[in-house]
Amino acid sequence: MSEFIHLTTPLTDEDVKRLRIGDRVLISGVLYSARDAAHRRLVELLKEGKPLPFDVRGHVIYYMGPSPAPPGRPIGAAGPTTSYRMDPYTPELIAHGLKGMIGKGARSDAVKEAMKKYGAVYFAAIGGAGALMSLSIISAEVIAYPELGPEAVRRLEVKEMPVVVATDAYGGDLYEEGVKRYALPSI
Amino acid sequence: MRQISTEKISQAVRDLAIRANVELGEDVILAFEAAMEREESPTGREILKRLIENAKIAREQRIPMCQDTGFAVVFVELGQDVHITGGSLRDAITEGVRRGYEEGYLRKSICHCITRKNTGDNTPPVIHFDIVPGDRLRIIFAPKGGGSENMSRVTMLTPAVGIEGIRDFVVQRVKESGSNPCPPTIVGVGIGGTMEQAAILAKKALLRPLGSENPDEELRKLEKDWLERINRLGIGPQGLGGRITSLAVHINMMPCHIASLPVAVNIQCHAARHKEIEL
């Protein structure tokens, strides 16, 4: 297994350019959490030409809705949700400067095209490993849409969150490559 | 007639909701360990290792193994010689869900279908009642995550497609689900009955402990064959490629109408959670 690449957000174009599918990355810095409901609102704001509740330029969105924080912890379980539900909204955000996404599962062709065109990277975290993932989150604060409960937008401070590059800015897709490598002829 | 109070039931459901979400069954952890031996992909092996680690952290630190603490699905087997005192059985179970999700710091994931407004307390639960002989009350709590439930399907096949047709539908479903349902999965298959019965059979198939044998010899052979076919797909842990796409196929079958062949596939993510109690 390759060594980890350390990255700190916000990401630069150079950060994005050096990443290739299969790279194992430890992310530190600030992430913003958002799921379907929040994405819908963000894209509506963009269409109306209104400012977003946070600056997406150079930033990374984590597709995640945590369980409530027990006393003494910054957050509850905090693993990724399935990314395809965000696909209809993602190209618009990438066009406005979003540089990275963390989730689980393959992306649509439209998202991959936008990633190539504007330079962005998609990381996979381990789905269902919510307890483990929560340990890399230092602080969490709701910054928009508190009425959405678990789906509210949170500003997360993370330290060395383990992820793998699943789709790079060159059209590489680890989901396709990985399955191709291990598929056997059907019987 | 044996009496059981609604308060006792609410408290039992509360405890089951919390335990189901923080304590992954030993059968699932053993299946991860066995999968690590067979997985050829280094990424796949690392993921399995992290899943074992995740289960340990969840159990020891009492945090949910997954932030999606699920739709509260409850199977109830009520002995016909039991008398419930203090109110309605459905209300008692619903109250238990409410308490468990609040007091256990579990995520509330239930919302209005159109407005998407959250109900705020993870209710209502889905409850499957069954009346059985005896004077006991058995409650099985099986929280179900959205990611894997979204990949599940029911279909009404033409009887002429036979066993090969059923097999192809099941394998194709897993293939099309790809990385989405958090593999390695457990594939619950319900065959027969009516449309809704097939779905319930599939869901109940997920409750069977991993590593246990299907009591029906014919189904046992099918489970082995279909699992092999699924694990040739190459999807692997988290869909990033590998040998272990599913840990098991579990089939439940009952007779169907002469005109029909209902088949349901209920996919379960690796956080295969269920806990039960007998009162």
Side-chain angles (χ1 to χ4, degrees):
Chain A
M1 300 287 303
S2 58
E3 284 303 300
F4 284 105
I5 295 172
H6 288 260
L7 282 181
T8 303
T9 63
L11 302 183
T12 62
D13 284 327
E14 286 63 43
D15 289 331
V16 171
K17 276 182 198 159
R18 64 190 266 238
L19 296 171
R20 295 290 188 284
I21 56 168
D23 285 349
R24 298 157 81 218
V25 175
L26 295 173
I27 297 188
S28 301
V30 170
L31 305 176
Y32 293 95
S33 72
R35 293 169 45 105
D36 333 18
H39 270 74
R40 193 173 154 181
R41 295 190 188 192
L42 296 175
V43 169
E44 273 168 19
L45 288 175
L46 287 177
K47 280 186 182 146
E48 292 165 9
K50 290 181 182 161
L52 298 180
F54 64 97
D55 190 359
V56 296
R57 284 174 299 175
H59 275 290
V60 178
I61 293 182
Y62 183 19
Y63 302 146
M64 187 276 294
S67 59
R73 283 183 176 276
I75 202 160
T81 194
T82 316
S83 305
Y84 73 85
R85 297 196 317 273
M86 270 54 74
D87 285 354
Y89 311 108
T90 301
E92 193 73 24
L93 291 169
I94 293 176
H96 279 81
L98 181 71
K99 282 286 158 220
M101 299 145 280
I102 306 172
K104 69 176 177 84
R107 308 308 303 264
S108 70
D109 288 341
V111 171
K112 288 192 244 176
E113 276 310 309
M115 290 172 64
K116 263 163 80 175
K117 187 173 173 190
Y118 297 100
V121 61
Y122 168 56
F123 304 99
I126 300 181
L132 179 77
M133 298 294 294
S134 77
L135 300 184
S136 26
I137 299 176
I138 302 162
S139 73
E141 180 197 354
V142 172
I143 59 153
Y145 317 137
E147 66 281 10
L148 291 179
E151 298 202 68
V153 172
R154 287 170 171 79
R155 182 184 187 277
L156 308 170
E157 208 181 324
V158 302
K159 192 172 176 219
E160 299 184 343
M161 178 178 276
V163 294
V164 56
V165 176
T167 314
D168 60 30
Y170 305 92
D173 183 338
L174 189 59
Y175 291 102
E176 282 174 11
E177 296 300 316
V179 173
K180 233 183 270 170
R181 183 177 306 167
Y182 289 97
L184 298 170
S186 59
I187 48 173
Chain B
M1 203 170 213
R2 196 162 159 262
Q3 301 203 340
I4 303 177
S5 74
T6 49
E7 177 50 33
K8 190 170 178 183
I9 294 164
S10 295
Q11 209 49 28
V13 170
R14 172 209 178 268
D15 294 347
L16 287 176
I18 297 172
R19 283 186 51 224
N21 274 296
V22 302
E23 297 170 15
L24 187 61
E26 202 54 42
D27 59 328
V28 185
I29 294 169
L30 286 173
F32 289 160
E33 285 168 357
M36 271 180 78
E37 306 266 311
R38 285 177 294 138
E39 182 54 67
E40 293 166 23
S41 149
T43 308
R45 277 200 304 274
E46 177 162 322
I47 290 166
L48 290 163
K49 195 181 104 195
R50 297 228 174 186
L51 293 181
I52 295 169
E53 202 184 326
N54 182 62
K56 190 166 177 275
I57 295 166
R59 181 182 287 264
E60 287 172 0
Q61 305 196 24
R62 310 306 286 177
I63 20 180
M65 63 194 84
C66 177
Q67 72 290 337
D68 184 353
T69 50
F71 207 117
V73 180
V74 189
F75 289 93
V76 177
E77 290 172 15
L78 177 65
Q80 60 193 25
D81 297 325
V82 174
H83 177 222
I84 307 290
T85 61
S88 125
L89 176 55
R90 179 181 291 277
D91 290 350
I93 292 168
T94 303
E95 175 59 23
V97 170
R98 194 174 284 129
R99 283 186 208 165
Y101 277 72
E102 188 56 39
E103 294 168 19
Y105 300 94
L106 308 180
R107 197 180 77 182
K108 289 82 183 170
S109 309
I110 307 307
C111 71
H112 185 279
C113 295
I114 312 298
T115 65
R116 312 304 293 177
K117 187 176 158 41
N118 201 300
T119 64
D121 57 6
N122 219 60
T123 71
V126 164
I127 312 173
H128 300 286
F129 290 102
D130 199 1
I131 308 291
V132 299
D135 65 354
R136 314 295 291 183
L137 171 64
R138 184 177 178 217
I139 304 171
I140 305 169
F141 193 94
K144 189 65 166 68
S148 59
E149 197 73 352
N150 283 347
M151 294 299 118
S152 303
R153 295 288 186 276
V154 185
T155 189
M156 306 300 279
L157 296 175
T158 303
V161 301
I163 196 66
E164 291 82 11
I166 303 173
R167 177 194 73 201
D168 292 349
F169 175 73
V170 173
V171 176
Q172 190 61 23
R173 181 83 298 269
V174 176
K175 186 176 181 180
E176 284 171 18
S177 300
S179 53
N180 294 326
C182 268
T185 55
I186 302 161
V187 183
V189 182
I191 308 170
T194 48
M195 184 265 277
E196 85 286 5
Q197 184 64 53
I200 293 171
L201 287 172
K203 180 136 284 165
K204 279 190 173 171
L206 298 174
L207 301 174
R208 211 178 90 205
L210 283 175
S212 67
E213 288 203 323
N214 195 313
D216 182 308
E217 198 189 327
E218 235 7 78
L219 296 182
R220 196 150 67 223
K221 280 189 206 153
L222 294 178
E223 288 180 353
K224 195 165 168 266
D225 177 49
W226 296 0
L227 179 64
E228 190 186 335
R229 289 168 192 271
I230 286 168
N231 283 337
R232 293 176 77 86
L233 294 172
I235 296 168
Q238 292 293 303
L240 294 169
R243 266 317 136 242
I244 312 293
T245 301
S246 294
L247 299 167
V249 175
H250 288 176
I251 308 173
N252 268 339
M253 187 164 76
M254 72 179 285
C256 62
H257 190 281
I258 50 173
S260 307
L261 180 52
V263 180
V265 177
N266 197 196
I267 299 186
Q268 170 66 59
C269 62
H270 58 72
R273 295 159 284 189
H274 47 90
K275 286 281 180 277
E276 65 174 90
I277 192 169
E278 197 175 81
L279 298 175

Coordinates of all heavy atoms in Angstrom, one line a residue, chain B residues 8-68:
Chain B
K8 N -43.0 -1.5 30.3 CA -41.9 -2.5 30.2 C -41.5 -2.7 28.7 O -40.3 -2.8 28.4 CB -42.4 -3.8 30.8 CG -41.3 -4.9 30.9 CD -41.8 -6.1 31.7 CE -40.7 -7.1 31.8 NZ -41.1 -8.3 32.5
I9 N -42.5 -2.6 27.9 CA -42.3 -2.8 26.4 C -41.5 -1.6 25.9 O -40.5 -1.7 25.1 CB -43.6 -3.0 25.7 CG1 -44.2 -4.4 26.1 CG2 -43.4 -3.0 24.2 CD1 -45.7 -4.5 25.7
S10 N -42.0 -0.4 26.3 CA -41.3 0.8 25.8 C -39.8 0.8 26.2 O -38.9 1.2 25.4 CB -42.0 2.1 26.4 OG -43.3 2.2 25.9
Q11 N -39.6 0.5 27.4 CA -38.2 0.5 27.9 C -37.4 -0.6 27.2 O -36.2 -0.3 26.9 CB -38.2 0.2 29.5 CG -37.1 0.8 30.2 CD -36.8 2.3 29.9 OE1 -37.7 3.1 29.5 NE2 -35.6 2.8 30.0
A12 N -38.0 -1.7 26.9 CA -37.2 -2.8 26.2 C -36.9 -2.3 24.8 O -35.8 -2.5 24.3 CB -38.1 -4.0 26.1
V13 N -37.8 -1.6 24.1 CA -37.6 -1.2 22.7 C -36.5 -0.1 22.7 O -35.6 -0.1 21.9 CB -38.9 -0.7 22.1 CG1 -38.6 0.0 20.8 CG2 -39.9 -1.8 21.9
R14 N -36.6 0.8 23.7 CA -35.5 1.8 23.9 C -34.2 1.2 23.9 O -33.2 1.6 23.2 CB -35.8 2.6 25.2 CG -34.7 3.6 25.5 CD -34.6 3.8 27.0 NE -33.5 4.7 27.4 CZ -32.3 4.3 27.7 NH1 -32.0 3.0 27.6 NH2 -31.3 5.2 28.0
D15 N -34.0 0.2 24.8 CA -32.7 -0.4 25.0 C -32.3 -1.2 23.7 O -31.1 -1.1 23.3 CB -32.8 -1.4 26.1 CG -33.0 -0.7 27.5 OD1 -32.8 0.5 27.6 OD2 -33.3 -1.4 28.5
L16 N -33.2 -1.8 23.0 CA -32.9 -2.5 21.8 C -32.4 -1.6 20.7 O -31.4 -1.8 20.0 CB -34.1 -3.3 21.3 CG -34.5 -4.5 22.0 CD1 -35.8 -5.1 21.4 CD2 -33.5 -5.6 22.0
A17 N -33.0 -0.4 20.6 CA -32.7 0.6 19.6 C -31.2 1.0 19.8 O -30.4 1.1 18.8 CB -33.6 1.8 19.7
I18 N -30.9 1.3 21.1 CA -29.5 1.7 21.3 C -28.5 0.6 21.1 O -27.5 0.8 20.4 CB -29.4 2.3 22.8 CG1 -30.3 3.5 22.9 CG2 -28.0 2.7 23.1 CD1 -30.5 4.1 24.3
R19 N -28.8 -0.5 21.7 CA -27.9 -1.7 21.5 C -27.7 -2.1 20.1 O -26.5 -2.3 19.7 CB -28.3 -2.9 22.4 CG -28.1 -2.7 23.9 CD -28.5 -4.0 24.6 NE -27.8 -5.1 24.0 CZ -28.5 -6.3 23.8 NH1 -29.7 -6.4 24.1 NH2 -27.8 -7.3 23.3
A20 N -28.7 -2.1 19.3 CA -28.6 -2.5 17.9 C -27.7 -1.5 17.2 O -26.9 -2.0 16.3 CB -30.0 -2.4 17.2
N21 N -27.7 -0.3 17.5 CA -26.9 0.7 16.8 C -25.4 0.8 17.3 O -24.6 1.3 16.5 CB -27.5 2.1 16.9 CG -28.5 2.3 15.8 OD1 -28.2 2.3 14.6 ND2 -29.8 2.3 16.1
V22 N -25.1 0.3 18.5 CA -23.7 0.4 18.9 C -23.0 -0.9 19.0 O -21.8 -1.0 19.0 CB -23.6 1.2 20.3 CG1 -24.2 2.6 20.2 CG2 -24.2 0.5 21.4
E23 N -23.8 -2.0 19.1 CA -23.1 -3.3 19.2 C -23.4 -4.1 17.9 O -24.5 -4.7 17.8 CB -23.8 -4.1 20.4 CG -23.5 -3.4 21.7 CD -24.4 -4.1 22.8 OE1 -24.9 -5.2 22.6 OE2 -24.5 -3.5 23.9
L24 N -22.4 -4.2 17.1 CA -22.5 -5.0 15.9 C -22.4 -6.5 16.3 O -21.6 -6.9 17.2 CB -21.4 -4.7 14.9 CG -21.5 -5.4 13.5 CD1 -22.8 -5.0 12.8 CD2 -20.3 -5.0 12.7
G25 N -23.3 -7.4 15.7 CA -23.3 -8.8 16.1 C -22.0 -9.5 15.9 O -21.2 -9.2 14.9
E26 N -21.6 -10.4 16.8 CA -20.4 -11.2 16.7 C -20.3 -11.9 15.3 O -19.3 -12.1 14.7 CB -20.3 -12.1 17.8 CG -18.9 -12.6 18.2 CD -17.9 -11.5 18.4 OE1 -18.3 -10.5 19.1 OE2 -16.8 -11.6 18.0
D27 N -21.5 -12.4 14.8 CA -21.5 -13.1 13.6 C -21.0 -12.3 12.4 O -20.4 -12.8 11.5 CB -23.0 -13.7 13.3 CG -24.0 -12.6 13.2 OD1 -23.9 -11.5 13.9 OD2 -25.0 -12.7 12.4
V28 N -21.3 -11.0 12.5 CA -20.9 -10.1 11.4 C -19.4 -9.8 11.5 O -18.7 -9.9 10.4 CB -21.7 -8.7 11.4 CG1 -21.3 -7.8 10.2 CG2 -23.2 -8.9 11.5
I29 N -18.9 -9.7 12.7 CA -17.5 -9.4 12.8 C -16.7 -10.7 12.4 O -15.7 -10.6 11.7 CB -17.1 -9.0 14.3 CG1 -17.8 -7.7 14.6 CG2 -15.6 -9.0 14.6 CD1 -17.8 -7.2 16.0
L30 N -17.2 -11.9 12.7 CA -16.5 -13.1 12.3 C -16.5 -13.2 10.7 O -15.6 -13.6 10.1 CB -17.2 -14.3 12.9 CG -17.0 -14.6 14.4 CD1 -17.9 -15.7 14.9 CD2 -15.5 -14.9 14.6
A31 N -17.6 -12.7 10.1 CA -17.7 -12.7 8.7 C -16.7 -11.7 8.1 O -16.1 -12.0 7.0 CB -19.1 -12.4 8.2
F32 N -16.5 -10.6 8.7 CA -15.5 -9.6 8.2 C -14.1 -10.3 8.3 O -13.3 -10.2 7.4 CB -15.4 -8.4 9.1 CG -16.6 -7.4 9.0 CD1 -16.8 -6.5 10.0 CD2 -17.4 -7.4 7.9 CE1 -17.9 -5.6 9.9 CE2 -18.4 -6.5 7.8 CZ -18.7 -5.6 8.8
E33 N -13.8 -11.0 9.4 CA -12.5 -11.6 9.6 C -12.3 -12.7 8.5 O -11.2 -12.8 7.9 CB -12.4 -12.2 11.0 CG -12.1 -11.1 12.0 CD -12.3 -11.5 13.5 OE1 -12.6 -12.7 13.7 OE2 -12.1 -10.7 14.3
A34 N -13.3 -13.5 8.3 CA -13.2 -14.5 7.2 C -13.0 -13.9 5.9 O -12.3 -14.4 5.0 CB -14.5 -15.4 7.3
A35 N -13.7 -12.8 5.6 CA -13.6 -12.1 4.3 C -12.2 -11.6 4.1 O -11.7 -11.6 3.0 CB -14.6 -11.0 4.3
M36 N -11.6 -11.1 5.2 CA -10.2 -10.6 5.1 C -9.2 -11.6 4.6 O -8.3 -11.4 3.8 CB -9.7 -10.1 6.4 CG -10.0 -8.6 6.6 SD -9.4 -8.0 8.2 CE -7.7 -7.8 7.8
E37 N -9.5 -12.9 4.9 CA -8.6 -14.0 4.5 C -8.8 -14.2 3.0 O -7.8 -14.6 2.3 CB -9.1 -15.3 5.2 CG -9.1 -15.2 6.7 CD -7.8 -15.7 7.3 OE1 -7.4 -16.8 6.9 OE2 -7.2 -15.0 8.2
R38 N -10.0 -14.0 2.5 CA -10.3 -14.3 1.1 C -10.1 -13.1 0.2 O -10.0 -13.3 -1.1 CB -11.7 -14.9 0.9 CG -11.8 -16.3 1.4 CD -13.3 -16.8 1.4 NE -14.1 -16.0 2.3 CZ -15.3 -15.6 2.0 NH1 -15.8 -15.8 0.8 NH2 -16.0 -14.9 2.9
E39 N -10.1 -11.9 0.7 CA -10.1 -10.7 -0.1 C -8.7 -10.5 -0.7 O -7.7 -10.6 0.0 CB -10.4 -9.5 0.7 CG -10.4 -8.2 -0.1 CD -11.3 -8.2 -1.4 OE1 -12.5 -8.3 -1.2 OE2 -10.8 -8.2 -2.5
E40 N -8.6 -10.4 -2.1 CA -7.3 -10.2 -2.8 C -6.9 -8.8 -2.9 O -5.7 -8.5 -3.0 CB -7.4 -10.9 -4.1 CG -7.6 -12.4 -4.1 CD -8.0 -13.0 -5.4 OE1 -7.7 -12.3 -6.5 OE2 -8.6 -14.1 -5.4
S41 N -7.9 -7.9 -2.9 CA -7.5 -6.4 -3.1 C -7.0 -5.9 -1.8 O -7.6 -6.0 -0.7 CB -8.8 -5.7 -3.5 OG -8.8 -4.4 -3.0
P42 N -5.8 -5.2 -1.8 CA -5.3 -4.6 -0.6 C -6.2 -3.5 -0.1 O -6.4 -3.4 1.2 CB -3.9 -4.0 -1.1 CG -3.6 -4.5 -2.4 CD -4.9 -5.0 -3.0
T43 N -6.8 -2.7 -1.0 CA -7.8 -1.7 -0.5 C -8.9 -2.4 0.2 O -9.4 -1.9 1.2 CB -8.3 -0.9 -1.7 OG1 -7.2 -0.4 -2.5 CG2 -9.1 0.3 -1.3
G44 N -9.4 -3.5 -0.4 CA -10.5 -4.2 0.2 C -10.2 -4.7 1.6 O -11.0 -4.6 2.5
R45 N -9.0 -5.3 1.7 CA -8.6 -5.8 3.0 C -8.5 -4.7 4.0 O -8.9 -4.8 5.2 CB -7.2 -6.5 2.9 CG -7.3 -8.0 2.4 CD -6.1 -8.8 2.8 NE -4.9 -8.2 2.3 CZ -4.4 -8.4 1.0 NH1 -5.0 -9.2 0.2 NH2 -3.3 -7.8 0.7
E46 N -7.9 -3.5 3.6 CA -7.8 -2.4 4.5 C -9.2 -1.9 5.0 O -9.4 -1.6 6.2 CB -7.1 -1.3 3.9 CG -7.0 -0.1 4.9 CD -5.9 0.9 4.5 OE1 -4.8 0.5 4.1 OE2 -6.2 2.1 4.7
I47 N -10.2 -1.9 4.1 CA -11.5 -1.5 4.4 C -12.1 -2.4 5.4 O -12.7 -2.0 6.5 CB -12.4 -1.4 3.2 CG1 -12.0 -0.2 2.3 CG2 -13.9 -1.3 3.5 CD1 -12.5 -0.1 0.9
L48 N -11.9 -3.7 5.2 CA -12.5 -4.7 6.2 C -11.9 -4.6 7.5 O -12.5 -4.6 8.6 CB -12.3 -6.1 5.6 CG -13.1 -6.5 4.4 CD1 -12.5 -7.7 3.7 CD2 -14.6 -6.8 4.8
K49 N -10.6 -4.3 7.5 CA -9.9 -4.1 8.8 C -10.5 -2.9 9.5 O -10.7 -2.9 10.8 CB -8.4 -3.9 8.5 CG -7.5 -4.0 9.7 CD -6.0 -3.7 9.4 CE -5.6 -2.4 9.9 NZ -4.4 -1.8 9.3
R50 N -10.7 -1.8 8.8 CA -11.3 -0.6 9.4 C -12.7 -0.8 9.9 O -13.1 -0.2 10.8 CB -11.2 0.6 8.4 CG -9.8 0.9 8.0 CD -9.6 2.4 8.1 NE -8.2 2.7 7.9 CZ -7.7 3.9 8.0 NH1 -8.4 4.9 8.4 NH2 -6.4 4.0 7.8
L51 N -13.4 -1.7 9.2 CA -14.8 -2.0 9.7 C -14.8 -2.7 11.0 O -15.6 -2.5 11.9 CB -15.6 -2.8 8.6 CG -15.9 -2.0 7.3 CD1 -16.6 -2.9 6.3 CD2 -16.6 -0.7 7.6
I52 N -13.8 -3.6 11.2 CA -13.7 -4.3 12.4 C -13.3 -3.3 13.5 O -13.9 -3.3 14.6 CB -12.6 -5.4 12.3 CG1 -13.1 -6.5 11.3 CG2 -12.3 -6.0 13.7 CD1 -12.1 -7.5 10.9
E53 N -12.4 -2.4 13.2 CA -12.0 -1.3 14.1 C -13.2 -0.4 14.5 O -13.4 -0.1 15.7 CB -10.9 -0.5 13.4 CG -10.0 0.3 14.3 CD -9.0 1.1 13.4 OE1 -8.7 0.7 12.3 OE2 -8.7 2.2 13.8
N54 N -13.9 -0.1 13.5 CA -15.1 0.8 13.7 C -16.1 0.1 14.7 O -16.6 0.8 15.5 CB -15.8 1.0 12.3 CG -17.0 1.9 12.4 OD1 -16.8 3.1 12.8 ND2 -18.2 1.4 12.1
A55 N -16.3 -1.2 14.5 CA -17.3 -1.9 15.3 C -16.8 -1.9 16.8 O -17.6 -1.8 17.7 CB -17.5 -3.3 14.8
K56 N -15.5 -2.0 16.9 CA -14.9 -2.0 18.3 C -15.0 -0.6 19.0 O -15.4 -0.5 20.1 CB -13.4 -2.4 18.1 CG -12.7 -2.7 19.4 CD -11.3 -3.3 19.1 CE -10.6 -3.6 20.4 NZ -9.8 -2.4 20.8
I57 N -14.8 0.4 18.2 CA -14.9 1.8 18.7 C -16.4 2.1 19.1 O -16.7 2.6 20.2 CB -14.5 2.9 17.7 CG1 -13.0 2.7 17.4 CG2 -14.8 4.3 18.1 CD1 -12.5 3.5 16.1
A58 N -17.3 1.6 18.3 CA -18.7 1.9 18.5 C -19.1 1.2 19.8 O -19.8 1.8 20.7 CB -19.5 1.4 17.3
R59 N -18.7 -0.1 19.9 CA -19.1 -0.9 21.1 C -18.5 -0.3 22.4 O -19.2 -0.1 23.4 CB -18.7 -2.3 21.0 CG -19.0 -3.2 22.1 CD -18.5 -4.6 21.8 NE -19.3 -5.3 20.8 CZ -20.3 -6.1 21.1 NH1 -20.7 -6.4 22.3 NH2 -21.0 -6.7 20.1
E60 N -17.2 0.1 22.3 CA -16.5 0.5 23.6 C -16.9 1.9 24.0 O -17.0 2.3 25.1 CB -15.0 0.4 23.4 CG -14.6 -1.0 23.4 CD -13.1 -1.2 23.1 OE1 -12.4 -0.2 22.8 OE2 -12.6 -2.3 23.1
Q61 N -17.1 2.8 22.9 CA -17.3 4.2 23.2 C -18.8 4.6 23.1 O -19.2 5.7 23.3 CB -16.5 5.1 22.3 CG -15.0 4.8 22.4 CD -14.1 5.8 21.8 OE1 -14.5 7.0 21.8 NE2 -12.9 5.4 21.4
R62 N -19.6 3.6 22.9 CA -21.1 3.7 22.8 C -21.5 4.8 21.8 O -22.4 5.7 22.1 CB -21.7 4.0 24.2 CG -21.3 3.0 25.3 CD -21.5 1.6 25.0 NE -22.9 1.1 25.0 CZ -23.2 -0.2 24.7 NH1 -22.2 -1.0 24.3 NH2 -24.4 -0.5 24.8
I63 N -20.9 4.8 20.7 CA -21.4 5.7 19.6 C -21.9 4.8 18.5 O -21.3 3.7 18.3 CB -20.3 6.7 19.0 CG1 -18.9 6.3 19.3 CG2 -20.5 8.1 19.4 CD1 -17.8 7.2 18.7
P64 N -22.9 5.3 17.7 CA -23.4 4.4 16.7 C -22.3 4.0 15.7 O -21.4 4.8 15.4 CB -24.5 5.3 16.0 CG -24.8 6.4 17.0 CD -23.6 6.6 17.8
M65 N -22.4 2.8 15.2 CA -21.3 2.3 14.2 C -21.5 3.1 12.9 O -20.5 3.3 12.2 CB -21.5 0.8 14.0 CG -22.8 0.4 13.3 SD -23.1 -1.4 13.4 CE -23.8 -1.5 15.1
C66 N -22.7 3.5 12.6 CA -23.0 4.3 11.4 C -23.9 5.5 11.8 O -24.8 5.3 12.6 CB -23.6 3.5 10.3 SG -24.0 4.4 8.8
Q67 N -23.6 6.7 11.2 CA -24.5 7.8 11.5 C -25.9 7.6 11.0 O -26.8 8.2 11.6 CB -23.9 9.1 10.9 CG -24.0 9.3 9.4 CD -23.1 8.3 8.7 OE1 -22.1 7.8 9.3 NE2 -23.4 8.0 7.5
D68 N -26.1 6.8 10.0 CA -27.5 6.5 9.6 C -28.0 5.4 10.5 O -27.8 4.2 10.3 CB -27.5 6.0 8.1 CG -29.0 5.8 7.7 OD1 -29.9 5.9 8.5 OD2 -29.2 5.6 6.5

